[in-house]
Amino acid sequence: MKIGFIGLGNMGSPMAANLVAAGHEVIGFDLVTECPTGVSKAASAVKAATGADVVITMLPNGAILRAVAAEIIPVMSDGATFVDCSTVDVESARAVADDAVAAGLLTVDAPVSGGIGGASAGTLTFMAGGSDAAFAVAQPLFDIMGQKAVHCGPSGNGQAAKICNNMILGATMIATCEAFALADKLGLDRQAMFDVVSTSSGYSWTMNAYCPAPSIGPQSPADNDYKPGFASELMLKDLRLSQQAAEAVDADTPMGARATELYTSFVEQEGGKGTDFSAMLPRFEKKGRS
Ligand code: NAD
């Protein structure tokens, strides 16, 4: 396939490189970063999209996605497929999909889970929204860049799945960290806490697979001085998207709202920016109840 790839940052660059390694012709464009080896460089987003069978975008946010989409949708070939893998608000995903469908394109919103490591290793999980026909075109590419792709329903549902998952993740990480900090103050050994919780009803991915306490459980960013991993500011971005979506549909999400508040202060006032999102544990260690 001839693939246009727009947004070659931390995630897009290794994803594009994996498509090249699988034998696809990839024409890339980024405002700032260089193309990875094997990806031909286009002079603009429009040039990367023109004549492509599939265009993939991997951009920072919904406003940028909307701007890029407005440029490229008019020049994409009739019947081509627009796959957006960025994490953006559900409204932007649906607006871009509507414009693309109106222009005779197939479209999939397909945010990912798995981070930079998953992008490099080709083990991402894709959560996809769009028609069956569009998903069928994109699926072989998801299989190259990832290990699993779930078709979640119509346009926007990929983003919906992503923010619901990450709202659970943010709230659960906070619950796990505050419980460790409480256990410390109660004189409970962290290893004992892990041994109990990881095999009891309090278990979770954050406890069992990504334990925020150093030297406990499997290797995690806590064992690497809380270097990300999944940075706190990216967690905050996704939590904010979840609350934006909850407001739009009048959903009551008090845990998501509190998690958003805590990550906002952590990132903006408490030095959490640039640390892994599990660095909430040292933050709780330092604090009392007020
Ligand atoms: P990044 O900032 O490294 O990459 C984004 C790239 O888009 C940058 O290179 C930037 O120059 C480029 N860009 C911005 N505006 C552009 C434009 N108008 N035209 C062309 N290029 C433009 O970000 P990233 O970490 O690669 O993340 C990309 C997306 O994936 C985000 O939506 C993020 O939330 C999501 N995501 C990231 C991770 C992660 O661990 N990094 C994990 C899951 C999902």
Side-chain angles (χ1 to χ4, degrees), residues 6-12 29-33 45 58-61 64 67-68 71 85-88 112-116 162 229-231 234 237-238:
I6 301 166
L8 297 162
N10 290 321
M11 297 291 289
F29 175 70
D30 192 289
L31 281 181
V32 179
T33 62
M58 194 51 167
L59 296 163
N61 59 47
I64 294 175
V68 169
E71 278 184 57
C85 294
S86 328
T87 303
V88 302
V112 303
S113 165
I116 300 165
K162 167 88 185 175
F230 185 43
L234 290 179
K237 172 191 169 180
D238 293 355

